[in-house]
Amino acid sequence: MVKYMNNKIVTRIKEEFKNCPDLILKEIHLNNKEVIYIAYLESVSGSDKVNDYILKNLSLLSGEKEKNLKNIQSLIPAPNTVELTEPDQIEFYITNGFTIVIHNSEIFAMETKADINRGIPEPTSEPAIIGPKDGFTENIQINLGLVKRRIKSSTLKTNSLVVGRKTTTMINILYCDDIAEQENINLVKKEIEKIDIDGILDSGSIAEFLEIENNSHFPTVVRTERPDAVSNALLEGKIAILVDTSPFALIVPAFFSDFINPVADNYQKAKNINYLKIIRLACFFLTIVTPGFYIAMINYNPETIPTSLLINFGTQRADVPFPAIVEALIMLIICEILKESDVRFPNSYGSAISILGALVLGEAAVSAGIVSPIMIIVIAFTFITSLIFTNQEIVSAIRHFRFIFLFAATLYGLFGVFLTFIYFFIHVTELTSIKKPYFYPLAPYDKIYLNKGILKKRVDKEILRSSMLTNQNKTRQRRNEI
């Protein structure tokens, strides 16, 4: 009966992994009665580990008596051994680098994962002059280790989930249970458990499911490849999500200020960095408004321009056959194309192509009388102020609202710009990130997080955590007064 059960399980493995040449299935005879089957995928399992942990030890057991083979699990010193209660579990473990050992109708999964990981890289999408230089990789265990290397506390908890019918992707939800709100943890876990999809190949797919409630171009989930950014967020009371095969972690809740100010600001003096924070916030609105504001002044409100400057503008535009809105659209689209080519081209010559294209096209367009020199200046200023932001989703949101301001200014002038400002603030204040207000700490106002996100205070002054993120353990720092 036992032999029949073993053969049935082996037959099932062969059938499930039919046409998979990387399946290795061995039948090992220990004595006249004992037969052990092992199965693994050599593409995800290390052959040297299978040999060292399992095959060598089984060869030593060939002369053992039957009574000594009762507990085969204790005789094979694999680093991680799981006893499977159902044959349905075999597929999950064998595709995750485990070797399946079948003995007397017992099924064990022994970890023999192959080392197919790259080394810990330096973050490329979030570079920083000052601060840690390590970044996440595609291995979830390495990523978890990079976080735990920074937060050496038993309060750092991990909830593991598996998502994807085909990919069975491992997902870890990280939080500090003495800081984070349990309501937020349950909400994130519930949203991820609802996901029923064939495959999750990157953390971006999880982010989309968490952002479904917000129909907006603004991102409401932070994606980062920096372990220090994740650790800093966990200590504030936020929740981090690690996804296997993805070098980007997710952080929720996310606020507007999180996308304006990088985590590297924490490593510099407050007096120096606050100036840059104000510059970034100003650049955000300048890159959105500048083209529309220029169109409004030229077409509808020329009285706002000094007479001598207005005459100069009129002289420059005298030979241009298109209205100002067409000029702006032509230049904006060309700059977007150049910017996209810079992203897609290899780093060795991508920037050179963009600079060459901008110089040649700009000069040729002015010489041909297609656009005016002042329009070149306006569009160049618009894109220079946008280069401060490296997050692709916030850049896409900027582009979206830039065109809204442009068309509103074309239709209604400065009044249209003012109306669009009202629409912008209504839009961002109604957004939420796991039911937390997106425009926090400005709406609702919170002085504690304002000093953390918008303006930085001296590190010895950052004593409390935000009440929006935690309802327990609000004290960040305890100072001993002398």
Side-chain angles (χ1 to χ4, degrees), residues 51-69:
N51 184 57
D52 293 339
Y53 297 154
I54 301 175
L55 296 180
K56 283 185 177 180
N57 289 285
L58 289 179
S59 65
L60 297 175
L61 299 175
S62 58
E64 294 287 340
K65 296 180 180 180
E66 182 179 352
K67 64 178 182 179
N68 294 329
L69 297 175

Side-chain angles (χ1 to χ4, degrees), residues 69-83:
L69 297 175
K70 296 284 185 176
N71 189 2
I72 196 72
Q73 180 181 2
S74 63
L75 299 175
I76 301 178
N80 182 18
T81 302
V82 181
E83 184 174 1

Side-chain angles (χ1 to χ4, degrees), residues 45 50 53-54 72-82 93 97-101 108-113:
S45 295
V50 175
Y53 297 154
I54 301 175
I72 196 72
Q73 180 181 2
S74 63
L75 299 175
I76 301 178
N80 182 18
T81 302
V82 181
Y93 282 97
F98 285 71
T99 296
I100 304 301
V101 178
F108 299 99
M110 300 182 177
E111 185 174 352
T112 54
K113 292 180 180 179

Side-chain angles (χ1 to χ4, degrees), residues 299-428:
N299 288 351
Y300 283 89
N301 305 95
E303 69 278 1
T304 59
I305 307 174
T307 305
S308 57
L309 186 60
L310 182 61
I311 293 172
N312 191 14
F313 286 176
T315 302
Q316 293 180 17
R317 299 198 66 259
D319 297 328
V320 177
F322 305 114
I325 178 63
V326 176
E327 282 186 88
L329 288 175
I330 291 174
M331 293 309 301
L332 285 173
I333 292 173
I334 289 175
C335 287
E336 291 291 349
I337 294 172
L338 289 172
K339 192 173 182 179
E340 184 67 15
S341 68
D342 196 11
V343 173
R344 304 302 171 192
F345 267 97
N347 292 333
S348 57
Y349 56 90
S351 298
I353 293 292
S354 297
I355 294 171
L356 179 64
L359 291 174
V360 172
L361 288 175
E363 180 64 27
V366 171
S367 301
I370 298 175
V371 296
S372 60
I374 184 61
M375 183 59 74
I376 297 291
I377 295 173
V378 169
I379 300 302
F381 178 77
T382 298
F383 274 84
I384 288 173
T385 50
S386 71
L387 293 177
I388 290 179
F389 310 102
T390 58
N391 185 288
Q392 291 299 312
E393 290 187 307
I394 203 70
V395 170
S396 298
I398 288 172
R399 182 193 305 120
H400 172 73
F401 272 93
R402 183 187 294 143
F403 281 103
I404 291 178
F405 272 98
L406 184 65
F407 289 119
T410 303
L411 295 174
Y412 303 109
L414 290 178
F415 180 66
V417 173
F418 177 74
L419 290 179
T420 308
F421 258 119
I422 296 176
Y423 165 71
F424 169 80
F425 285 113
I426 292 174
H427 177 72
V428 294

Side-chain angles (χ1 to χ4, degrees), residues 98-395:
F98 285 71
T99 296
I100 304 301
V101 178
I102 305 169
H103 175 250
N104 289 342
S105 72
E106 293 180 321
I107 309 172
F108 299 99
M110 300 182 177
E111 185 174 352
T112 54
K113 292 180 180 179
D115 188 11
I116 51 177
N117 307 304
R118 62 188 175 111
I120 297 174
E122 184 174 339
T124 56
S125 63
E126 301 169 272
I129 298 175
I130 301 175
K133 301 297 182 181
D134 54 344
F136 288 131
T137 70
E138 287 77 12
N139 187 302
I140 193 171
Q141 293 300 329
I142 293 177
N143 296 344
L144 184 60
L146 290 174
V147 177
K148 290 197 171 186
R149 181 183 179 186
R150 289 169 167 81
I151 304 179
K152 303 177 181 69
S153 172
S154 60
T155 61
L156 177 59
K157 304 300 182 182
T158 304
N159 286 347
S160 296
L161 301 172
V162 176
V163 179
R165 293 190 295 266
K166 299 293 185 183
T167 60
T168 59
T169 305
M170 179 67 70
I171 295 176
N172 285 345
I173 303 173
L174 276 62
Y175 58 91
C176 292
D177 67 346
D178 62 334
I179 302 176
E181 291 185 2
Q182 190 61 44
E183 181 182 354
N184 294 341
I185 299 168
N186 295 337
L187 179 60
V188 172
K189 188 176 179 180
K190 180 181 177 182
E191 290 297 322
I192 295 178
E193 287 177 340
K194 289 194 303 184
I195 299 174
D196 185 13
I197 191 173
D198 283 343
I200 295 291
L201 302 177
D202 185 75
S203 59
S205 302
I206 300 294
E208 287 190 58
F209 282 101
L210 295 176
E211 292 180 307
I212 283 178
E213 65 181 39
N214 293 311
N215 185 19
S216 173
H217 287 77
F218 281 99
T220 54
V221 175
V222 173
R223 307 183 195 189
T224 180
E225 58 177 339
R226 297 185 63 97
D228 57 324
V230 170
S231 302
N232 182 70
L234 291 172
L235 294 175
E236 290 178 1
K238 296 184 179 182
I239 300 166
I241 302 168
L242 302 179
V243 179
D244 198 18
T245 73
S246 175
F248 286 87
L250 307 179
I251 300 173
V252 288
F255 306 123
F256 175 77
S257 59
D258 295 336
F259 299 95
I260 302 297
N261 301 308
V263 71
D265 288 354
N266 296 333
Y267 310 127
Q268 302 186 47
K269 293 181 66 175
K271 290 183 178 180
N272 296 333
I273 206 65
N274 280 339
Y275 172 76
L276 296 178
K277 286 177 176 285
I278 295 171
I279 290 293
R280 288 194 206 108
L281 193 59
C283 286
F284 177 83
F285 289 103
L286 286 173
T287 191
I288 290 176
V289 175
T290 299
F293 188 72
Y294 170 74
I295 296 295
M297 289 194 303
I298 288 293
N299 288 351
Y300 283 89
N301 305 95
E303 69 278 1
T304 59
I305 307 174
T307 305
S308 57
L309 186 60
L310 182 61
I311 293 172
N312 191 14
F313 286 176
T315 302
Q316 293 180 17
R317 299 198 66 259
D319 297 328
V320 177
F322 305 114
I325 178 63
V326 176
E327 282 186 88
L329 288 175
I330 291 174
M331 293 309 301
L332 285 173
I333 292 173
I334 289 175
C335 287
E336 291 291 349
I337 294 172
L338 289 172
K339 192 173 182 179
E340 184 67 15
S341 68
D342 196 11
V343 173
R344 304 302 171 192
F345 267 97
N347 292 333
S348 57
Y349 56 90
S351 298
I353 293 292
S354 297
I355 294 171
L356 179 64
L359 291 174
V360 172
L361 288 175
E363 180 64 27
V366 171
S367 301
I370 298 175
V371 296
S372 60
I374 184 61
M375 183 59 74
I376 297 291
I377 295 173
V378 169
I379 300 302
F381 178 77
T382 298
F383 274 84
I384 288 173
T385 50
S386 71
L387 293 177
I388 290 179
F389 310 102
T390 58
N391 185 288
Q392 291 299 312
E393 290 187 307
I394 203 70
V395 170

